[in-house]
Amino acid sequence: MSVGVLFTQGQVTGEPRTTLAEILEQAEAADRLGFSAALTTEHKDSDEYFGAPLHLAFAIAARTQRVRVGTAIAIAPLYAPAVLAQDAAILDQLSGGRAWLGLGAGYMPVDYTAAGVPWEDRAQRFDETVRIVRAAHTQERFSFDDQLHHFEDLAVLPRPLQPEGVPLHLAAWTPGGLRRAGRLGDGWITNALMSLDTMTTMAADYRAAAEAAGRRPHVTSIRFCWPYTSREEALELFGDTALAMARTLFDYGAVTDLPGVTSADQITLEEFVRDRFVFGTPEECVETIGRFRDQAGVDDFLMIFRYPTGPDHRSVLRAMELFGTEVLPALDRPAVPA
């Protein structure tokens, strides 16, 4: 099992140049501490996120030596497929074969409006984009003909350093999206706030689709994360910002498995710590990760330590240090029999 870091910050975090520099410092820390990845995400019309995830991934690649670099996720239908394939191939070459693409269809129409892309055909556009990127990365020249895209004898140069192309992991939380992830992807990415039970059910559906398509399933779980030695300090640093982010994502429509909850102000931190966050002492974090691994079959994790409104940069670095020195080594040790 591996654990990476996902950066979810934007202009609301602070002065953009400063915030971007802090992301790069956190990426360097992830590289040093033994995390497996340092990935970026996007929304196109939001001050809570930066809208150019591949550009930021290039900067992270230049500042790191070991971690996977790329996206979790980029909103694939917003990109010209051949351009996305070429940018990802260059990232792979630049990073020495460390590129990793998490792709999704997105769930906010405003992202499509900002990019000038129709919302209505997003599923077909996503499907074709993934297939085009795969073909561009694995064939010297290729042709493509479907509903939205038509190419004759196209080459993307250079091709990626990784012989099988840049890995393509697909985000989904609908039945059709899970089937697409199984059919086309190298793995499935959960959303950040689905419960363990929801993830377990969706993981089973995804695995069935992957196995039917002859693909080896792989589940990557995105989780909000905060390890601590002082619960009081952790609640002060992490609690309010994480709860505010959870409520914002509920309002965005990204949290759909809270029976009886009809408004964001009904969401409690206790509910999310119990079943959705990785939050606690290092030992408690190891136990929580183990539950997701054993029940839902999670293969690896992407941890979010910082949200658009906090915690502050230095506190995040301390939390990453604690996780890297006390949680990651424990995950590598064999389980002790009961």
Side-chain angles (χ1 to χ4, degrees):
M1 174 185 292
S2 64
V3 180
V5 180
L6 178 60
F7 302 114
T8 59
Q9 293 130 65
Q11 291 191 105
V12 73
T13 308
E15 195 276 324
R17 188 169 185 273
T18 299
T19 301
L20 289 165
E22 290 170 351
I23 289 173
L24 295 180
E25 187 175 349
Q26 291 167 28
E28 290 176 323
D31 201 47
R32 172 177 56 83
L33 290 167
F35 288 90
S36 62
L39 304 178
T40 61
T41 191
E42 72 171 323
H43 284 294
K44 291 298 187 188
D45 188 18
S46 171
D47 64 359
E48 295 177 336
Y49 297 85
F50 292 119
L54 278 168
H55 293 77
L56 184 51
F58 275 101
I60 291 171
R63 296 276 288 266
T64 57
Q65 299 294 322
R66 189 188 52 78
V67 288
R68 286 281 194 177
V69 293
T71 61
I73 53 95
I75 305 173
L78 306 187
Y79 295 83
V83 175
L84 177 61
Q86 191 160 56
D87 287 348
I90 290 288
L91 178 63
D92 201 48
Q93 290 285 346
L94 176 71
S95 65
R98 293 186 283 132
W100 194 96
L101 277 187
L103 302 174
Y107 57 90
M108 296 179 66
V110 67
D111 288 321
Y112 283 73
T113 301
V117 174
W119 168 256
E120 292 74 20
D121 61 7
R122 63 192 180 280
Q124 181 67 24
R125 195 172 293 274
F126 184 26
D127 188 288
E128 292 186 22
T129 298
V130 174
R131 289 155 54 205
I132 290 167
V133 172
R134 179 83 69 189
H137 284 181
T138 57
Q139 300 177 37
E140 289 188 12
R141 307 194 72 86
F142 72 100
S143 299
F144 187 90
D145 184 32
D146 208 325
Q147 295 180 30
L148 301 172
H149 299 96
H150 312 274
F151 302 116
E152 287 289 338
D153 196 32
L154 182 69
V156 168
L157 300 172
R159 284 165 59 194
L161 187 61
Q162 296 176 76
E164 299 301 317
V166 174
L168 305 178
H169 293 248
L170 308 187
W173 65 74
T174 66
L178 293 167
R179 289 193 296 270
R180 182 186 302 110
R183 176 170 52 89
L184 297 178
D186 295 308
W188 168 54
I189 306 173
T190 77
N191 78 11
L193 289 175
M194 64 175 57
S195 70
L196 175 55
D197 286 344
T198 297
M199 189 185 303
T200 301
T201 300
M202 289 189 176
D205 292 343
Y206 155 70
R207 286 194 188 90
E211 290 163 2
R215 290 188 170 277
R216 182 178 179 179
H218 188 100
V219 176
T220 298
S221 176
I222 299 175
R223 295 288 92 181
F224 286 16
C225 180
W226 198 259
Y228 63 72
T229 55
S230 165
R231 184 176 180 85
E232 181 178 328
E233 181 185 40
L235 289 171
E236 180 180 351
L237 290 171
F238 170 89
D240 287 345
T241 55
L243 184 58
M245 191 63 190
R247 288 173 170 171
T248 296
L249 291 171
F250 177 86
D251 286 337
Y252 284 171
V255 186
T256 58
D257 59 345
L258 283 169
V261 174
T262 57
S263 64
D265 59 8
Q266 295 174 316
I267 296 173
T268 65
L269 182 64
E270 290 75 18
E271 163 68 21
F272 278 67
V273 166
R274 180 185 67 82
D275 201 291
R276 300 165 198 257
F277 293 164
V278 176
F279 177 80
T281 64
E283 293 79 11
E284 289 169 336
C285 289
V286 170
E287 189 274 334
T288 300
I289 290 169
R291 282 193 290 119
F292 278 88
R293 177 197 62 215
D294 296 341
Q295 180 174 323
V298 173
D299 295 290
D300 53 38
F301 289 83
L302 295 172
M303 300 303 189
I304 301 173
F305 290 95
R306 193 186 198 189
Y307 321 102
T309 55
D312 68 276
H313 174 55
R314 291 300 161 193
S315 296
V316 169
L317 289 176
R318 288 195 298 272
M320 290 177 64
E321 187 85 28
L322 180 61
F323 194 101
T325 56
E326 298 197 26
V327 179
L328 286 181
L331 296 176
D332 289 335
R333 292 196 290 266
V336 177

